[in-house]
Amino acid sequence: MRAILKQKTLLLPAALLLALASCSRPAGSEYIHEEGIAWNTVYHVTYRSSESLADSIIAVINEIDLSLSPFNPSSRMTALNENRTDSVDGHFIAVYTKSREISRLTGGAFDPTLAPLIRAWGFGQGHEVSSDTLRLDSLLQLVGIDKTALQGNRLVKENPSIEFNFSALAKGYGVDCVADMLERNGVKDYLVEIGGEIRAKGKNPNGEVWRIGIDQPDPDSDGDIQCVVTLTDAALATSGNYRNFHEVDGQRFGHTISATTGRPVTTDVLSATIMAPTCVEADAIATSCMALGKEKAVALCDSLRLGYLLILSDYTVISKNI
């Protein structure tokens, strides 16, 4: 099976989650394929089982959406951002804890409190593209996960206007949650893919390790493959600015925003693909590599002993253990 890695997409309300577009029915222990729409992207789940777990897959996706979606007015995330509650659940604690860890490892380059700046540059809801320095300086006062803390099951914010947006790792976390559900149900061979973020275990229907195609980082390419990697008992995620960008006064701005300057980062990394034990880690590190640039990205991945494939702005490829 080949899954194509695409650019990151944002979470959408649970009301927009669609039922499965297709579902093959099991007869004995067979490979089953489920697919549908979640979080403004397509998901595919292929697994070997004697029964369909389609309803459980949808239940996991809906549960995460009701917890972490900043665009679902009924989600806990929206209530936290609007200060209607300070109570957090297990999903929030998990992604918050991972975000603090990655923020520390990257010197603050990874930060889930960038929501006001993401909107200011026209990514996500609002589309208020602006490069006004004074406005950005004001918004930067609301950025920084270190300005928040967990006290038990309560979120404490130094400034009530601080907002969270976990889109940089939420899809990866969702992939892990679906994979964990499959394993709890005894599934030993599977591939879970949501919007290009992937976790795989065991073998594919041909009895081989899973094979994953990685897109060429070219906005004009039509699904052309840069390379194919094998994957089993691991996760894979990619990040890139080559499709998700805006142009203002003839200048192109990618969607990766600097937590230091408040502006889109200038980076020599065009695309970053990371292989890690979990998809939430792969997702977060891939995003971080875009913000860090080549030298720091390589140093980070090497220190964590993660596989990586970086495609630079001159189309040079740097890869290791992938």
Side-chain angles (χ1 to χ4, degrees):
M1 177 180 179
R2 187 182 74 182
I4 307 303
L5 300 181
K6 297 296 184 182
Q7 75 274 20
K8 294 186 178 300
T9 49
L10 300 177
L11 298 172
L12 286 184
L16 296 184
L17 295 178
L18 302 184
L20 294 177
S22 69
C23 172
S24 59
R25 295 301 176 188
S29 184
E30 300 178 351
Y31 278 88
I32 306 168
H33 181 71
E34 324 277 9
E35 65 180 54
I37 303 294
W39 309 328
N40 197 32
T41 190
V42 179
Y43 69 82
H44 301 88
V45 183
T46 300
Y47 58 101
R48 186 164 64 90
S49 175
S50 60
E51 61 177 342
S52 171
L53 297 170
D55 289 345
S56 295
I57 292 170
I58 295 175
V60 170
I61 290 173
N62 284 337
E63 180 180 311
I64 296 169
D65 188 82
L66 283 171
S67 174
L68 299 179
S69 172
F71 309 128
N72 182 347
S74 300
S75 74
R76 186 177 297 267
M77 177 64 68
T78 299
L80 288 163
N81 284 341
E82 295 178 353
N83 300 301
R84 290 186 280 110
T85 185
D86 63 0
S87 175
V88 298
D89 61 9
H91 293 304
F92 183 93
I93 291 172
V95 294
Y96 178 91
T97 301
K98 177 58 68 173
S99 294
R100 287 198 72 105
E101 175 190 341
I102 303 300
S103 178
R104 175 182 57 81
L105 291 171
T106 61
F110 181 91
D111 199 297
T113 64
L114 287 166
L117 288 167
I118 292 172
R119 285 198 302 271
W121 286 101
F123 300 101
Q125 289 186 329
H127 302 289
E128 306 165 3
V129 180
S130 170
S131 58
D132 180 70
T133 302
L134 294 178
R135 181 164 182 251
L136 296 181
D137 287 345
S138 176
L139 293 177
L140 276 170
Q141 303 305 308
L142 305 177
V143 172
I145 194 170
D146 288 341
K147 298 175 183 177
T148 70
L150 287 181
Q151 294 182 356
N153 65 346
R154 293 180 55 249
L155 174 66
V156 179
K157 300 188 284 187
E158 288 184 7
N159 188 317
S161 295
I162 292 174
E163 298 178 43
F164 281 86
N165 184 324
F166 290 113
S167 295
L169 77 172
K171 288 210 302 328
Y173 178 73
V175 168
D176 286 335
C177 288
V178 172
D180 291 344
M181 179 277 295
L182 293 176
E183 294 191 17
R184 288 195 302 271
N185 281 275
V187 177
K188 297 180 179 179
D189 300 286
Y190 63 77
L191 184 143
V192 178
E193 181 257 331
I194 302 179
E197 320 299 33
I198 298 170
R199 182 165 142 184
K201 184 174 182 178
K203 302 294 180 64
N204 67 16
N206 295 323
E208 303 170 344
V209 295
W210 302 90
R211 294 169 55 84
I212 312 299
I214 298 176
D215 266 358
Q216 288 185 357
D218 184 346
D220 298 321
S221 70
D222 185 21
D224 294 332
I225 302 301
Q226 177 74 34
C227 65
V228 176
V229 301
T230 58
L231 186 72
T232 189
D233 301 326
L236 197 74
T238 195
S239 184
N241 283 329
Y242 54 94
R243 284 196 177 93
N244 195 4
F245 59 85
H246 289 308
E247 288 190 2
V248 180
D249 297 328
Q251 187 173 3
R252 181 176 291 189
F253 298 104
H255 74 284
T256 304
I257 309 298
S258 168
T260 302
T261 68
R263 297 177 176 277
V265 298
T266 300
T267 178
D268 55 356
V269 179
L270 194 61
S271 173
T273 299
I274 303 298
M275 186 180 293
T278 64
C279 203
V280 67
E281 181 178 16
D283 204 0
I285 296 298
T287 300
S288 300
C289 288
M290 296 299 302
L292 290 171
K294 177 188 69 174
E295 292 185 4
K296 291 183 179 180
V298 168
L300 174 65
C301 293
D302 284 343
S303 69
L304 297 174
R305 298 182 179 180
L306 300 178
Y308 57 89
L309 187 149
L310 307 179
I311 303 177
L312 307 184
S313 53
D314 62 0
Y315 294 99
T316 299
V317 175
I318 301 175
S319 65
K320 186 174 182 179
N321 299 327
I322 195 170

